[in-house]
Amino acid sequence: MDLINKNKHLNIFNYYRSGKSTPREDNLSRAFAITLDKNREFLNKVFKKFIFDETYNSMFSLDYNLIKEDKIYINIQSKDFQKSDSEKNNDYYSNYFGILLGNFEDPTISEKKIEKIKPTDTYGPIPDILIGINDILVVIENKLGGNVEDFSQLKRHVEAIAGDNHENIEYRAINWSNIIRDAMDLYYKNEDNYPFLEDFIQFLRREYTDMMPIVPLKDIKIGKEVKKDKESLINQRLDVIKTLITKKYLSEDSLLEENNNLSISLNFGWTDRAHLNFNKTNKTIKVEMWPGLKGSQAEELFNKKDKLKWLQREELEVNKNLYNLNIRPYIRFASSYGRGIDSIDDLLTQDNKFKATHTAEVLNELAGRYINNESKNEWKGLEKYLDNLVGEEWRNNVNWRSQFIESGKTTIDISLSVKVEVEIPYSKAQRLDNDKDDPKLAKEVYDILMGIKEMIDQ
């Protein structure tokens, strides 16, 4: 069954209208159902969790190649589910599982507590999610919070669907963090391309940050050699830190995404983003930005009154903490699509050549587009200008002959930019990442960003 084609509301990019009364639970249910429908491995993990190990193991291993398509049923908020639906498929469900899916303060809700809850008298109940495979139907009530009293609504849903078949009903409370962990384990540990699973995780991280089952850095111990699973956990946590900074301190709706890299959105004039990365070689968390990367950003950067005197700074003090500051001026060579090809960088640090290159005058003379085709050859002039500016070694710095002259390219965009990098020792980041939902590390990274801004704007 293709849910996206069957139901226009089941499109992960077609969200319900936003506002104060936004049905956030409905958006979450829909995204979850679509992801289950589009990723059989994820469905297998989740369905196994829902129907309990004993039943699962005695049933089958969910080989979807052996299950007919009409034996797999997934839907959301369906009030039309009746026995006639099963009759069409010659398939009465024999077993029913009521799942309360929530973000519970109490991680364990006992069976005895669940048994004491009576179903509500709600007429015409509409369950949040239905998952049917072969003769088993899972009925899900989705809550962003959730407590044992919510089983009254769930029980009404299940009993209305099961009819007289009340003997084969079981109930269970499952925390959203367990489901999200399954999604993340499958996505991060597998090299296959899972676009729906990726979108689902990004959607959760952006809209339901508090539900992410992320381990704080203080609980992620690393040795001399950082193993892949630890690196993955660190990067997952940093994505949440980026989200917390963006939403809490910068009042932005979401992170920027480019080439599978999530960036913090900034409005500094001379840059529009910052990265937060883990460097496993020197065991640091790096805060990075690229002032002047785009044309308008470079104009604002190079028109500062102090003419980039900060380019020789080596340290940045933030909240009485002194951090290593790595500043690397460079001349960027990019394609006509804005994609970076190479840059003159190492050469500019020799004898402080960047003092001659990174000026407003050079920006006006050098930055821009250069064409080399049958009717126009502007590359000769570019070569001569760079020879006079930094010496002929720049050709080796960017592999000029192989990457440009002999490449068939006809267009180069040249820009002047700077890479600014602040290093937070991992041990210090661990101490600052002291709380899952409101860590000091998020505030420290934000203050570092503001410290860089003050340094450049002074």
Side-chain angles (χ1 to χ4, degrees), residues 256-453:
L256 298 173
E257 184 174 359
E258 184 178 12
N259 299 326
N260 295 324
N261 197 354
L262 297 172
S263 303
I264 300 168
S265 178
L266 299 175
N267 187 22
F268 288 177
W270 36 261
T271 193
D272 62 356
R273 68 191 62 205
H275 289 182
L276 189 62
N277 299 310
F278 173 62
N279 186 304
K280 65 181 181 181
T281 302
N282 60 5
K283 313 294 190 302
T284 60
I285 304 298
K286 293 190 175 183
V287 183
E288 300 173 316
M289 63 175 68
W290 291 262
L293 187 61
K294 300 175 182 177
S296 58
Q297 296 171 356
E299 289 178 8
E300 181 159 344
L301 180 69
F302 282 84
N303 283 329
K304 298 296 179 186
K305 62 180 180 180
D306 285 335
K307 302 296 183 185
L308 305 181
K309 289 182 180 178
W310 51 270
L311 287 177
Q312 292 181 280
R313 289 272 298 270
E314 296 182 351
E315 293 178 329
L316 182 71
E317 184 175 352
V318 175
N319 299 328
K320 297 183 179 179
N321 295 313
L322 207 58
Y323 294 108
N324 287 338
L325 179 63
N326 303 320
I327 298 177
R328 197 171 185 83
Y330 63 96
I331 300 173
R332 183 174 185 257
F333 290 63
S335 68
S336 56
Y337 300 103
R339 187 172 300 169
I341 301 172
D342 214 324
S343 61
I344 304 173
D345 43 28
D346 293 340
L347 183 62
L348 300 190
T349 62
Q350 298 174 13
D351 302 321
N352 291 336
K353 285 187 173 65
F354 64 83
K355 290 184 177 181
T357 62
H358 281 57
T359 67
E361 293 74 22
V362 172
L363 178 71
N364 292 332
E365 286 290 329
L366 178 61
R369 176 162 293 180
Y370 293 81
I371 306 296
N372 181 30
N373 55 32
E374 293 180 356
S375 59
K376 183 183 290 188
N377 185 350
E378 297 175 333
W379 290 12
K380 286 291 184 183
L382 174 63
E383 289 177 327
K384 184 176 180 180
Y385 186 87
L386 289 174
D387 287 346
N388 293 331
L389 185 64
V390 296
E392 296 183 5
E393 287 182 35
W394 70 268
R395 299 165 191 262
N396 294 327
N397 216 206
V398 299
N399 298 308
W400 176 247
R401 178 159 295 280
S402 61
Q403 287 205 102
F404 298 96
I405 299 297
E406 298 173 350
S407 69
K409 295 181 178 69
T410 60
T411 305
I412 306 172
D413 286 336
I414 303 292
S415 59
L416 298 183
S417 186
V418 183
K419 180 179 180 180
V420 178
E421 179 183 271
V422 175
E423 295 180 324
I424 307 174
Y426 184 72
S427 57
K428 183 172 187 61
Q430 285 182 298
R431 292 194 296 272
L432 291 170
D433 195 12
N434 62 327
D435 184 271
K436 179 178 179 292
D437 300 319
D438 189 20
K440 291 181 180 178
L441 180 59
K443 178 63 163 57
E444 187 75 3
V445 173
Y446 169 75
D447 288 341
I448 287 173
L449 295 175
M450 294 302 109
I452 296 173
K453 183 179 188 300

Side-chain angles (χ1 to χ4, degrees), residues 111-174:
E111 291 185 15
K112 289 184 178 180
K113 287 183 179 179
I114 296 173
E115 287 176 4
K116 292 179 181 179
I117 302 298
K118 302 298 181 184
T120 63
D121 296 327
T122 306
Y123 176 76
I126 304 175
D128 288 330
I129 305 174
L130 292 168
I131 305 173
I133 298 179
N134 281 352
D135 66 340
I136 292 178
L137 183 69
V138 175
V139 182
I140 301 173
E141 180 67 20
N142 173 30
K143 298 294 182 183
L144 297 182
N147 57 63
V148 69
E149 300 300 326
D150 291 317
F151 273 97
S152 61
Q153 184 180 7
L154 175 61
K155 286 188 174 183
R156 176 63 181 130
H157 294 337
V158 179
E159 291 183 7
I161 292 172
D164 298 330
N165 191 10
H166 283 195
E167 294 182 359
N168 297 317
I169 299 176
E170 295 185 60
Y171 294 98
R172 190 181 185 190
I174 293 181

Side-chain angles (χ1 to χ4, degrees), residues 197-260:
L197 198 61
E198 179 182 9
D199 285 350
F200 182 54
I201 295 170
Q202 302 286 29
F203 171 66
L204 290 166
R205 186 183 292 120
R206 181 180 68 246
E207 300 294 340
Y208 307 89
T209 312
D210 60 322
M211 297 201 315
M212 297 299 289
I214 301 301
V215 181
L217 298 182
K218 67 182 179 66
D219 296 325
I220 306 176
K221 313 299 181 185
I222 61 174
K224 187 175 182 181
E225 182 179 347
V226 182
K227 296 181 179 179
K228 271 194 171 182
D229 60 335
K230 294 292 183 72
E231 185 179 5
S232 178
L233 285 173
I234 293 170
N235 287 326
Q236 290 173 31
R237 178 57 176 168
L238 291 182
D239 281 345
V240 172
I241 296 293
K242 296 174 196 175
T243 304
L244 293 172
I245 294 168
T246 297
K247 295 169 71 173
K248 183 172 183 178
Y249 299 107
L250 297 170
S251 300
E252 295 286 345
D253 291 333
S254 61
L255 297 170
L256 298 173
E257 184 174 359
E258 184 178 12
N259 299 326
N260 295 324

